[in-house]
Amino acid sequence: MTAVLFNRRTLLAASGAALVTGASGLRVPARAQGVSPTPTMRGGSNNYRPGAPIVKRIGGGGFWMSGTVRRAGDGAPLAGQRIQIWAHTTEGHERDWHSHGATLTDENGVFRLEMPQIVPAFGQAHGHLAYDSGDFKTVFLRPVMASSKDTSLEAHFVLQPA
Amino acid sequence: MRRLRMALIWGGFTAALAVPIAAAATSPLLAWRDPVYVAAGFAGIVAMGLLLFQPLLAVGYLPGLAALRGRRVHRWTGGALVAAIVVHVSGLWITSPPDVVDALTFTSPTPFSAWGVIAMWALFAAALLAAGRRRVRLRWRTWRLAHTSLAVVVVIGSVAHALLIEGTMETLSKAGLCMLVVAATAKALVDLRVWSSGANANR
């Protein structure tokens, strides 16, 4: 009963959004704006622990968190950027120090860190990532897994100068 | 025959409560949660179970608990419901304070948090209204309309909250319990005629 109501609500919201997008698309001309910076996500900084160490792997591993770090505007890959990663996993809660670790991007701006399997917590299977080194503006991401059975998750950063 | 019917009804309700709890107790997620978080989750499930009994007690449908006796148990169950939600939210708070702050301030990335918080405040308001019924000096029908409206918000909010969550509750037993809660509430609303008679009485 409620599920049906909710579907209708979702449908209404979706068609409303489509209408707005369509209408504004007619008025605003296409612009070559370049790559825009990634905004911090809601709840992204929850249980963040400043200064988590760079590690080869968080805990026993088995799950891969990966992504890219690029510069806003021209989209150039940023090498050597420190990304902190944490989540509720099979080995601990988000708040636990041993659930946190950091890694650096390679010359292509790609990072990849092995960690324990992420499991649903607070209603969703999700991870947390932070760029917090200061050269660029701090960004916190909170990607959600499409399925809690996934064994990898991606998150991408586009940073703007601090 | 009457005794058999009574046993069947009570057996059915016990199962409606016990099956989702038992199913949740087998959730693999429990292995990766500390006791406080586990208790918080189960307090939520128990609250949903109690929510099934509230409308039935209010109308006096449960055998052996008709009319005034049902109302008295309804009050105690309401108190237990408030206690369960306090345990639920406190346990979540201890597990991850920032997530609970986000939920309470309606800034959470997850929509089910908002539904849960709306249901929580409606529950507290309904309980306060019940506790202070003699003091608030509302007319009986107005009081009942207010209390029932809040109860409807509690039910809708709780069901949306539960259905959208990927947690320890097993999907089918969760959906089943939610359907029963909605059905029991709808049945009670229709039979009490809260809306129509209330509107007429206020004229």
Side-chain angles (χ1 to χ4, degrees):
Chain A
M1 192 169 159
T2 310
V4 174
L5 280 171
F6 202 78
N7 283 340
R8 187 166 63 182
R9 175 191 289 268
T10 321
L11 182 72
L12 282 172
S15 35
L19 199 69
V20 169
T21 314
S24 60
L26 286 174
R27 281 199 234 133
V28 181
R31 280 176 296 174
Q33 200 184 7
V35 186
S36 50
T38 315
T40 280
M41 292 179 176
R42 271 187 174 192
S45 64
N46 288 357
N47 296 306
Y48 164 64
R49 300 274 177 270
I54 290 176
V55 291
K56 280 209 152 140
R57 193 177 64 208
I58 302 174
F63 183 97
W64 285 95
M65 181 73 89
S66 62
T68 56
V69 181
R70 293 185 299 152
R71 187 164 59 200
D74 62 0
L78 294 169
Q81 298 303 321
R82 188 178 168 283
I83 298 295
Q84 185 188 145
I85 296 166
W86 71 101
H88 185 116
T89 69
T90 52
E91 293 178 19
H93 287 57
E94 279 181 10
R95 61 168 191 263
D96 299 333
W97 266 101
H98 65 260
S99 298
H100 294 245
T103 189
L104 297 174
T105 55
D106 64 14
E107 65 276 12
N108 299 316
V110 173
F111 66 89
R112 201 169 132 77
L113 184 63
E114 196 180 4
M115 60 191 291
Q117 175 68 41
I118 294 181
V119 291
F122 279 74
Q124 270 183 343
H126 65 279
H128 291 268
L129 301 97
Y131 167 82
D132 60 344
S133 301
D135 294 339
F136 296 88
K137 275 189 184 150
T138 301
V139 174
F140 291 102
L141 299 183
R142 184 190 176 281
V144 176
M145 285 151 68
S147 157
S148 54
K149 291 186 181 72
D150 290 351
T151 54
S152 65
L153 185 58
E154 278 184 28
H156 302 278
F157 290 81
V158 176
L159 303 174
Q160 56 185 330
Chain B
M1 192 63 199
R2 212 172 131 241
R3 200 165 269 185
L4 178 71
R5 198 167 150 250
M6 193 160 158
L8 280 176
I9 292 176
W10 275 106
F13 280 111
T14 310
L17 198 59
V19 169
I21 293 176
T26 66
S27 168
L29 296 184
L30 294 174
W32 310 307
R33 296 182 176 198
D34 71 12
V36 174
Y37 192 11
V38 170
F42 275 94
I45 304 173
V46 167
M48 185 62 91
L50 294 177
L51 213 47
L52 170 61
F53 288 88
Q54 282 302 67
L56 303 168
L57 286 166
V59 189
Y61 285 141
L62 291 174
L65 293 173
L68 285 174
R69 245 173 112 193
R71 288 290 160 92
R72 203 175 313 131
V73 180
H74 178 82
R75 261 170 240 145
W76 282 104
T77 312
L81 199 45
V82 170
I85 291 309
V86 168
V87 171
H88 181 61
V89 176
S90 314
L92 294 179
W93 183 290
I94 292 166
T95 305
S96 178
D99 283 310
V100 176
V101 170
D102 282 354
L104 293 175
T105 53
F106 293 102
T107 52
S108 172
T110 50
F112 51 77
S113 315
W115 285 110
V117 171
I118 290 167
M120 177 190 78
W121 288 121
L123 173 72
F124 291 170
L128 275 177
L129 208 55
R133 199 171 100 195
R134 296 218 175 83
R135 262 161 291 165
V136 290
R137 284 200 216 141
L138 288 173
R139 286 160 67 188
W140 158 240
R141 285 203 182 279
T142 316
W143 181 89
R144 191 171 72 165
L145 186 64
H147 183 75
T148 316
S149 307
L150 287 165
V152 169
V153 175
V154 174
V155 167
I156 293 172
S158 304
V159 166
H161 177 69
L163 289 179
L164 292 170
I165 281 180
E166 181 172 9
T168 52
M169 284 193 91
E170 184 274 326
T171 314
L172 271 181
S173 61
K174 177 167 72 178
L177 179 59
C178 287
M179 269 171 56
L180 286 175
V181 169
V182 169
T185 309
K187 170 88 176 130
L189 282 180
V190 168
D191 290 0
L192 279 175
R193 303 172 60 89
V194 182
W195 321 102
S196 53
S197 10
N200 289 336
N202 285 338
R203 250 173 229 159

